[in-house]
Amino acid sequence: QVQLVESGGAVVQPGRSLRLSCAAFGFTFSSYGMHWVRQAPGKGLEWLAVISDDGGNKHSVDSVRGRFTISRDNSKNTLYLQMNSLRAEDTAVYYCAKGFFGGGMSFLVDIWGQGTMVTVSS
Amino acid sequence: DIVMTQSPDSLAVSLGERATINCKSSQSVLSSSNNKNYLAWFQHKPGQPPKLLFYWASTRESGVPDRFSGSGSGTDFTLTISSLQAEDVAVYYCQQYYSTPAFGGGTKVEIK
């Protein structure tokens, strides 16, 4: 059974850093691109970043580029999101999601984790 | 970047009646190389992760009831629920994956 489990969400002060993790189960993790998507309270879904199956290619939305970094460790079947210089507007549920098509960096996702909450507040 | 606009923001439909959600992209998401529309629909219920309903605008994901249908091409797309059931209450999002992925603002579907 394909499953994604996020962790690392916390309450952090503005300007601080946080790293989220996403553990993958039930599929060949190294064969799929992976994504991060967030949802701020009362708002819609916002796509953040994608990383290719081998980690060699990455792409992110302008609003987080330079502050957030997506990475992966295929030996641990784990996806990461390093978030630096956090702002109040980064408060959201952060979801990891699996690329639909195997190989490379599919922009379509299918399976999502349950999400982890990040609150940026002083 | 391609901007996705959904309408309406919310709608209330009686059980058994039709619900129609519209999605418009700021530029075409139809690929000339494979004649496919890079448009997906997701269902998002409270406390659950989003669920993929359709990709290529009209290809139903496995397990999605056939009362759901996706249509459209180019820049204009529609998600239709032919006979609304109680379990269909959710927020529905369109998403283009033609370029940097982007979601529409969402449409909240409720029971009238």
Side-chain angles (χ1 to χ4, degrees):
Chain A
Q1 176 187 355
V2 175
Q3 190 177 10
L4 299 170
V5 180
E6 302 94 338
S7 61
V11 178
V12 295
Q13 293 179 328
R16 302 299 291 265
S17 298
L18 195 65
R19 188 178 80 160
L20 305 182
S21 300
C22 169
F25 305 92
F27 66 101
T28 305
F29 181 71
S30 60
S31 294
Y32 291 87
M34 295 293 295
H35 297 244
W36 286 101
V37 179
R38 71 181 177 185
Q39 183 177 34
K43 303 294 185 182
L45 300 171
E46 180 185 18
W47 179 85
L48 294 178
V50 61
I51 187 168
S52 61
D53 53 354
D54 64 359
N57 288 299
K58 305 175 185 180
H59 186 55
S60 61
V61 69
D62 288 347
S63 61
V64 303
R65 196 172 300 147
R67 293 193 303 126
F68 291 9
T69 302
I70 189 171
S71 63
R72 65 191 295 161
D73 185 338
N74 285 347
S75 69
K76 296 181 178 179
N77 289 349
T78 302
L79 174 73
Y80 302 101
L81 184 67
Q82 177 67 44
M83 303 185 294
N84 298 330
S85 303
L86 282 162
R87 307 166 180 166
E89 54 264 36
D90 295 319
T91 294
V93 175
Y94 285 73
Y95 296 97
C96 63
K98 169 186 160 291
F100 185 90
F101 301 107
M105 196 165 67
S106 166
F107 277 179
L108 174 64
V109 301
D110 53 0
I111 306 300
W112 300 58
Q114 290 287 340
T116 188
M117 183 70 203
V118 173
T119 302
V120 183
S121 173
S122 54
Chain B
D1 291 353
I2 299 176
V3 177
M4 308 301 292
T5 303
Q6 287 183 233
S7 62
D9 292 337
S10 65
L11 73 162
V13 176
S14 300
L15 289 172
E17 296 300 305
R18 178 183 300 263
T20 301
I21 301 168
N22 300 301
C23 174
K24 190 174 185 68
S25 58
S26 61
Q27 59 192 79
S28 177
V29 298
L30 174 63
S31 171
S32 58
S33 63
N34 60 10
N35 202 38
K36 290 181 181 291
N37 288 282
Y38 284 61
L39 190 284
W41 287 99
F42 292 87
Q43 177 191 62
H44 194 191
K45 297 181 179 180
Q48 297 183 22
K51 174 186 176 183
L52 176 64
L53 298 179
F54 291 91
Y55 54 99
W56 302 135
S58 60
T59 300
R60 189 180 291 108
E61 177 69 330
S62 176
V64 174
D66 60 8
R67 64 180 179 273
F68 289 88
S69 62
S71 64
S73 185
T75 61
D76 293 279
F77 301 90
T78 301
L79 175 69
T80 302
I81 310 172
S82 61
S83 176
L84 190 75
Q85 305 300 303
E87 60 265 32
D88 301 334
V89 169
V91 179
Y92 293 84
Y93 295 90
C94 62
Q95 184 222 347
Q96 65 82 13
Y97 51 100
Y98 185 85
S99 62
T100 302
F103 291 93
T107 296
K108 186 175 185 179
V109 174
E110 300 173 304
I111 304 295
K112 184 187 292 182

